[in-house]
Amino acid sequence: MQRNDRSVKAGRILQCAMLAGLTGGFAEILWIALYGSLTSGSSVEVARQVTATVFQPLVAWPVAPLIGIAIHLGLSVILAVVFVRLVWIPFALSLRGGTGLLITVGTLVAVWAVNFLVVLPVVNPSFVALMPYWITLFSKALFGASMAWSLRNSYTPRLP
């Protein structure tokens, strides 16, 4: 019976992590759509370049922006699941106040730095040039804040 309880708990944690990833991913999509609508930037081109980064031959397809959104959301879920397992449960969950939020946003800012300063300039320099760094940095911080909010509201285990 205890094994079943563990699998139920693990399933619940996974469910909460996936929800947190989708929350963060959609927060980024909305932020980039807002930025694109207020400037000459194109959120459709951003989505197309996500596709180009992962699988270049698909970038010419008419559905490339939709594929980019699906890729972004899939990566968002993966990032959240890894974050929950490696950071949230061991460190941030037990913290009170805004410390968990700070850890979450700080972790996502570190992810942004690796992506925009190391990986993307090599893999897809066009993507890096689409938006100012501060827009993309704020986007990732918004992802972190949204993810932390979702985790705080969906994954709160009972304290002994």
Side-chain angles (χ1 to χ4, degrees):
M1 193 62 127
Q2 191 172 8
R3 174 178 262 179
N4 191 28
D5 289 344
R6 265 191 242 147
S7 65
V8 168
K9 182 179 177 185
R12 176 74 179 128
I13 292 169
L14 179 62
Q15 192 177 45
C16 292
M18 292 173 66
L19 176 63
L22 290 173
T23 302
F26 277 115
E28 279 192 305
I29 289 170
L30 291 174
W31 170 249
I32 297 305
L34 176 64
Y35 172 77
S37 71
L38 297 175
T39 66
S40 61
S42 170
S43 54
V44 172
E45 184 58 25
V46 171
R48 185 182 312 286
Q49 287 303 314
V50 170
T51 302
T53 301
V54 176
F55 196 60
Q56 179 63 40
L58 297 182
V59 78
W61 291 14
V63 294
L66 292 176
I67 294 169
I69 290 170
I71 291 168
H72 170 72
L73 291 174
L75 291 172
S76 297
V77 167
I78 291 167
L79 177 60
V81 168
V82 170
F83 173 81
V84 165
R85 178 67 181 103
L86 298 180
V87 180
W88 186 260
I89 291 173
F91 303 109
L93 178 63
S94 62
L95 300 173
R96 300 290 179 241
T99 310
L101 172 66
L102 290 175
I103 289 173
T104 307
V105 172
T107 301
L108 271 290
V109 166
V111 167
W112 172 87
V114 170
N115 280 341
F116 276 83
L117 303 177
V118 178
V119 176
L120 287 172
V122 174
V123 176
N124 187 355
S126 300
F127 188 85
V128 176
L130 285 174
M131 298 168 287
Y133 275 152
W134 73 270
I135 291 293
T136 60
L137 177 59
F138 186 81
S139 174
K140 201 53 78 182
L142 186 60
F143 182 113
S146 300
M147 186 168 72
W149 175 85
S150 178
L151 288 170
R152 275 284 173 216
N153 288 297
S154 66
Y155 178 64
T156 309
R158 292 181 180 26
L159 298 174

